[in-house]
Amino acid sequence: MRLIRAKDYQDMSRKAANIISAQVILKPESVLGLATGSTPIGIYHQLIDWYKKGDVDFSRVVSINLDEYCGLSDSNPQSYSRFMREHFFDYINISPANIFLPDGTQTDSALECARYDRVIVEHGGIDLQLLGIGRNAHIGFNEPDVCFSRGTHQVTLTESTIAANTRFFESVEQVPRQAYSVGMQAIMQAKKILLIASGADKAEALQKSFFGPVTPQVPASILQLHQDVTVIADMDALALCPAE
Ligand code: F6R
């Protein structure tokens, strides 16, 4: 694991955007595994800026997002599909045909999970997987459990994740209780992983994930077994990690 210490959120965002932009410049047809949430917003805004300046071209990029809430259609303001359009896709030249997210309206979960796994395989897997990290160390919506997940699956969100995500909804009752999430297999088979973390509320998750035992109770700890992981975290998120 390569640990890059960023000064603050803005520094973290620029450093991570540099890595994604280099990936796309080196391989214009890259398959990017993208994430939602507060942490990547600065990265997306930076990439939009570089796109507008002509520095990076997304026309051949494929995006396969990590997750989507069950029960929300892509027009729902709280859906991850809408989030990605509002924060990124609407401002770059990615082809709509190259954008993939789980379909939250699909009630047959076995069918939807199998379809999404096929999408990943048919595109040859993920070149660069961008990951945020939950306060309980979830990645995607792979929550703490007794074993690591394998393929795309339907998840029942933990109380901690529901509480953390309430900020995007009008009330806690509105937060969907279930989501579709890419499993650990596709994440671990990604050629490169870029995990970003910002803020003191991620410090414990970061410390346990990268400096504690590998255990499904700390989902991100599985990344210790991946051969090409870059973690970019700001000083607050690094507060509990060993210095150097
Ligand atoms: C989002 C996702 C989640 C988030 C995590 C951190 O697609 O997969 O694992 O990355 O919940 O969210 P933020 O960045 O809002 O703290």
Side-chain angles (χ1 to χ4, degrees):
M1 187 256 301
R2 211 176 284 115
L3 178 57
I4 298 178
R5 294 164 196 271
K7 286 195 290 287
D8 52 26
Y9 178 78
Q10 207 190 350
D11 188 32
M12 178 206 74
S13 303
R14 281 176 71 90
K15 284 179 161 64
N18 263 300
I19 291 175
I20 296 173
S21 144
Q23 170 73 37
V24 174
I25 291 167
L26 289 169
K27 185 178 178 190
E29 69 284 12
S30 286
V31 178
L32 302 180
L34 295 181
T36 58
S38 308
T39 320
I41 290 176
I43 298 177
Y44 295 147
H45 290 177
Q46 182 63 74
L47 289 172
I48 291 168
D49 188 40
W50 287 335
Y51 162 70
K52 285 185 176 157
K53 289 179 172 144
D55 290 341
V56 56
D57 171 19
F58 294 94
S59 59
R60 291 165 65 196
V61 162
V62 172
S63 165
I64 300 184
N65 256 80
L66 276 169
D67 38 23
E68 180 60 282
Y69 287 120
C70 291
L72 302 192
S73 73
D74 61 4
S75 59
N76 188 302
Q78 264 78 38
S79 72
Y80 284 169
S81 176
R82 178 93 170 250
F83 175 100
M84 290 306 297
R85 276 178 278 140
E86 283 180 356
H87 289 285
F88 196 31
F89 297 152
D90 281 354
Y91 304 95
I92 58 169
N93 64 339
I94 190 167
S95 160
N98 288 349
I99 295 173
F100 297 93
L101 286 100
D103 177 358
T105 63
Q106 178 56 260
T107 49
D108 186 335
S109 61
L111 201 73
E112 179 54 14
C113 294
R115 180 194 72 84
Y116 208 61
D117 280 337
R118 267 198 317 278
V119 167
I120 298 169
V121 170
E122 281 165 10
H123 286 90
I126 289 157
D127 289 307
L128 176 64
Q129 177 66 60
L130 175 65
L131 294 172
I133 185 167
R135 294 171 202 182
N136 61 5
H138 69 229
I139 47 177
F141 271 134
N142 292 283
E143 298 279 31
D145 206 339
V146 291
C147 59
F148 289 112
S149 68
R150 188 181 289 259
T152 301
H153 54 294
Q154 190 175 40
V155 193
T156 297
L157 304 183
T158 62
E159 285 308 316
S160 130
T161 300
I162 291 168
N165 289 3
T166 300
R167 68 191 193 280
F168 297 112
F169 293 80
E170 275 171 20
S171 69
V172 67
E173 289 74 33
Q174 286 184 8
V175 185
R177 272 25 188 186
Q178 291 185 309
Y180 289 127
S181 177
V182 164
M184 291 302 196
Q185 187 170 31
I187 293 174
M188 289 300 282
Q189 285 177 350
K191 294 188 186 74
K192 290 174 188 292
I193 290 180
L194 174 59
L195 184 140
I196 47 167
S198 170
D201 60 343
K202 301 295 173 68
E204 194 182 338
L206 217 53
Q207 188 275 331
K208 283 187 176 163
S209 299
F210 294 101
F211 299 95
V214 175
T215 161
Q217 292 301 325
V218 182
S221 67
I222 198 173
L223 300 175
Q224 291 183 40
L225 307 178
H226 192 285
Q227 58 176 10
D228 192 342
V229 177
T230 302
V231 176
I232 307 184
D234 66 15
M235 290 309 172
D236 291 340
L238 286 167
L240 301 176
C241 291
E244 299 305 317

